[in-house]
Amino acid sequence: MKEIHQEKILILDFGSQYTQLIARRVRECKVYCEIIPFNEGIERIKKEKPKGLILSGGPSSVYMSKAPLIDKKIFELGIPVLGICYGMQLMTYILGGEVSKSVKREYGKVELIIDDDSDIFKGIGEGGTVIVWMSHGDKIEKMPAGFVSIAHTDNSPVAVMKSNNLNLFGLQFHPEVVHTPDGMEIIKNFLYDICHCSPVWTMASFAEYSIKSIRKKVGGKKVMCALSGGVDSSVTAVLVHLAIGDRLTCIFVNNGLLRKGEAEKVLSTFRDNFHINLIYAEAEDRFLNKLEGISDPEEKRKIIGREFIAVFEEESNRVGGFDFLAQGTLYPDVIESTSVKGPSATIKTHHNVGGLPTEMEFELIEPLRELFKDEVRLLGKELDLPDEVLWRQPFPGPGLAIRVLGEITRERLNLLREADAIVLEEIKKARVYRKIWQSFAVLLPIKTVGVMGDERTYENVIGLRAVTSTDGMTADWVKLPYDLLGNISNRIINEVKGINRVVYDISSKPPSTIEWE
């Protein structure tokens, strides 16, 4: 069997919102790929020895003064290149063709007429037409020498082009989006028939490769891992444990800001089921004392982050002898750190258990740094992690502290904890839990008048939040059925003493954030 990284596709990123989606589609075809900034240079490409290149879309126009460009010699390396949208226009411009602003921009679903059904269109488009998703304001005015048009639309005479004697292809549309129904077949044709890649990127092969790599890197030394109970840290812990056994020690910090029953579930899963060495650090009093009287959300996050690191360091020093720190870093985090778009503004200070300081002077083990979230779940399935862990919705590092708006007290935490448990129970009972990115309760810092029985009440308000998303960068609110919302509201008001009103948050991100603080 071929080594899983032996056949690689490189995706050059020009700032498209779809770049990561291109990578996900290539991975779904079981071919390994990496995203690199467009300006990494030809030497990096030569060093990587890819089987093919994909040039992503992007917001620029090639004829603008500061448009991102690449070395013409990239097209002379003898490897297939697929240009998508801006990537196609860039290929045209660099190789001597002409690109101009289109009188009529194309956006949305468009009928593509196929003029040559070989190569990239093999097995696609019975009747000569397919539906594709366009998003461009520029057009190919003149193709480079040696290129021919193989598909067009009413608005774009050159919607797809290919070189006569080189494996260079340009698509004006986006094959990676679901709105292009035959997009995956086009990508497969490029990967399998043009680049001659084999479908060897599977989670079974990745697990085997990772276990061997971890074992080789660690040798006879010891590793520690910060375990939160989330899918990333859980898969990391199990993978490292399979590689080195008892030389792994996990540290789970109970900061008193967890959801109902969460600490018990983590202990049961990893101590009882996987028999992993696990240090349970009970630090509820310590965290809540530090947070007493604090209402500012940024201050809450900073206190929790500092205290978590302090507890983690104390526990690791107490046991001692660790040389490596295992973290659940994912590929989107790696991409973000080298993004073509540059650094983004800090909207909130994020603290996750992976965010430990480099001055702790451990060598890092990040076995998931090549994976997307959906691949991590597939890997976890391969490692026999329970669905309850694999499909756990993202939970913020600061926990319930940023869902108790205003001052944090034990009483207010308990109110939220009980309400939040009802939200999750009802969402799961309605069988929509896996379709939702996050669903949770928020305790608002206000009280409202209500009536229970014949008595007037003046009690707390719970806000409900449920959103759909693919990566948490953007999100839309979920149109939950009215009956489900009614069940959640009735249960919270009837079962959680101290709550007399429930409201539903129908804002999207942007302009709102997913969390309220």
Side-chain angles (χ1 to χ4, degrees), residues 389-420:
V389 173
L390 294 180
W391 292 97
R392 179 183 186 259
Q393 294 175 355
F395 187 60
L400 299 182
I402 56 169
R403 294 178 181 173
V404 171
L405 307 194
E407 187 177 354
I408 298 168
T409 64
R410 281 180 170 78
E411 180 187 9
R412 300 191 77 217
L413 277 169
N414 287 333
L415 282 176
L416 177 60
R417 202 170 272 125
E418 293 300 323
D420 188 70

Side-chain angles (χ1 to χ4, degrees), residues 92-93 96-99 139-145 158 161:
T92 302
Y93 182 79
E98 294 178 16
V99 179
K139 68 174 182 177
I140 309 301
E141 197 72 50
K142 177 186 174 185
M143 287 181 290
V158 184
M161 66 179 192

Side-chain angles (χ1 to χ4, degrees), residues 68-93:
L69 304 176
I70 55 175
D71 191 330
K72 181 181 179 180
K73 291 179 181 177
I74 286 175
F75 298 105
E76 300 168 3
L77 291 174
I79 55 177
V81 181
L82 174 65
I84 296 174
C85 201
Y86 178 83
M88 176 191 188
Q89 295 158 14
L90 179 68
M91 183 186 294
T92 302
Y93 182 79

Side-chain angles (χ1 to χ4, degrees), residues 15-66:
S16 170
Q17 61 179 319
Y18 298 135
T19 301
Q20 286 195 34
L21 187 55
I22 298 171
R24 291 165 69 92
R25 294 292 180 252
V26 173
R27 300 275 187 95
E28 285 170 16
C29 296
K30 298 180 181 178
V31 174
Y32 180 64
C33 68
E34 291 181 15
I35 297 171
I36 63 172
F38 73 92
N39 54 5
E40 281 285 286
I42 192 169
E43 293 307 317
R44 166 78 187 274
I45 295 171
K46 287 180 180 177
K47 182 181 176 182
E48 296 282 353
K49 298 180 180 178
K51 297 275 285 186
L53 295 176
I54 297 177
L55 312 181
S56 84
S60 302
S61 293
V62 292
Y63 46 76
M64 294 170 62
S65 60
K66 294 185 178 180

Side-chain angles (χ1 to χ4, degrees), residues 279-292:
I279 295 173
Y280 174 69
E282 175 54 70
E284 179 176 358
D285 291 343
R286 178 172 177 165
F287 276 83
L288 296 189
N289 289 339
K290 292 280 186 179
L291 289 166
E292 188 174 350

Side-chain angles (χ1 to χ4, degrees), residues 427-466:
I427 291 284
K428 288 176 181 177
K429 193 187 296 182
R431 300 184 183 280
V432 293
Y433 181 79
R434 291 192 186 183
K435 299 176 183 178
I436 296 173
W437 177 260
Q438 277 176 280
S439 49
F440 55 89
V442 180
L443 183 65
L444 306 188
I446 55 174
K447 291 188 175 184
T448 66
V449 173
V451 177
M452 289 188 177
D454 293 323
E455 294 183 1
R456 176 185 182 278
T457 61
Y458 189 61
E459 292 179 334
N460 296 278
V461 181
I462 284 288
L464 303 181
R465 184 77 159 135

Side-chain angles (χ1 to χ4, degrees), residues 348 405 438-442 444 461-468 475-480 485 502-509 511-517:
K348 292 176 181 174
L405 307 194
Q438 277 176 280
S439 49
F440 55 89
V442 180
L444 306 188
V461 181
I462 284 288
L464 303 181
R465 184 77 159 135
V467 297
T468 55
D476 195 13
W477 63 280
V478 180
K479 284 71 176 174
L480 292 176
L485 286 171
V502 175
V503 297
Y504 189 45
D505 181 350
I506 59 169
S507 49
S508 299
K509 176 187 179 181
S512 302
T513 52
I514 295 177
E515 299 290 345
W516 280 43
E517 285 193 345

